[in-house]
Amino acid sequence: MTHRQTLHFLACGHVDDGKSTLMGRLLYDIGVIPTDQVEGARVDGAVDFSRLTDGLEEERAQGITIDVAYRYFRYQGRHYRITDTPGHVQYTRNMAVAAANSDCALVLVDAAHGVREQTVRHSCIAGFFGIRDFVVAVNKMDLADYAEVRFREIEAQYRAVFNAEPQGVRLTFIPVSGLRGDNVLTRSAAMPWYKGPSLMEYLAALEVEPPSVLGARLPIQSVIRIGDTRGYQGMLVDGAMKTGDQIGIAGSDATIRITALYHGGREVDEARPGQAVTLVTDAHADLSRGNVLYSLSAPVLCSDAFAARFLWLDPSYERQESVTGIIKIHHREEQAEVRVRRSDGLMLDAAIYTAASVPVDLYARHRRTGLFLMIDPETEHAIGAGTVTALTDEAPVAQRHAAMF
């Protein structure tokens, strides 16, 4: 089957389990790394594959991944985006944002250490953000003498601590060695007992069901002057917009007509999801950063209270029941309070109250406008993330809170 979509896959797991080395090895074996970059990654004559994905100097010095590293490549006619995420607990928020924009989770487990705390945390976060295809790469099999019994032990351990069935997650386990290249691009003769696909064969065969799109969404990032008129800039996150379309403005009954669309420095007739566009309309609209334009077939609602599934990104908050801060949803920021139910798990039911109504969607219908971060106003760090599950009416706050639960 010919693949048309780009596969966005997330590499995650506990620190030092070998994510960067495995991803670097994959890119090296495929042959998409420029020669000068390969030469720059040599240490004592041998290629350090982790240096092919770890971009920050601080990461290279420490031998860990801090920032989220994106790498794009094409293989046998299909496009891929690797998101290499940090394993340390203090960078969990970086991993969470990456998970919200991925189709598949590649979870690494060190064959020597087995499943650890961040392995489970990252798996739960990936499932929380709707990823349904998981490939668990049991890495460093060369250090375990390529033993099938060790691979099976880790598979059983992972299944025991990560309950995939209720989330509809599909699990695939592959024994690999990122350092030696076993089962990375092609199947390895070192593990004849393994009959499944190599990592690249799995990714190449994976079919991701495209999300159902109910209508176009364009969160406004900035407003610019174009001659005597205004241009509204942002990334089209869902649906399509065409010149001549009549569109709506979140929080307003007014409609406007698109008279021109620009993408990549040139005028176009149509904009597709994922494209950064500038939009010109037939009438002046009082728009600013954080508003949302939408297709009339699927209006965006504005609300100052909604229910959500919530995840603390900062472990120090995990016993909190109520926190005030700044909510960031697409490009909109607003003062807010989050109230959660106490739970022993990572995922919580929450009620969110904002100081003013914000344009918001249900996450199940529009991921980009239904996902939010909770930010500590003093440190400006993201301390929590959530997905909108229900909107409420304008009843008094106490009644709305009771109704959410």
Side-chain angles (χ1 to χ4, degrees), residues 376-395:
D376 184 318
E378 294 185 3
T379 65
E380 297 186 350
H381 288 165
I383 58 175
T387 57
V388 179
T389 57
L391 304 181
T392 65
D393 56 24
E394 295 303 319

Side-chain angles (χ1 to χ4, degrees), residues 22 88 110 130 170 193 256 289 323:
L22 180 61
H88 279 74
D110 187 322
R170 295 174 287 272
W193 46 265
I256 50 180
R289 180 181 174 89
V323 171

Side-chain angles (χ1 to χ4, degrees), residues 1 6 13 44 80 83 127 138 157 180 191 196 241 250 286 323 325 357 360 392-393:
M1 180 175 183
T6 298
D44 296 329
Y80 299 83
T83 305
V138 181
Q157 184 184 22
R180 296 181 179 270
M191 291 174 278
M241 286 186 172
D286 186 17
V323 171
S357 291
V360 64
T392 65
D393 56 24

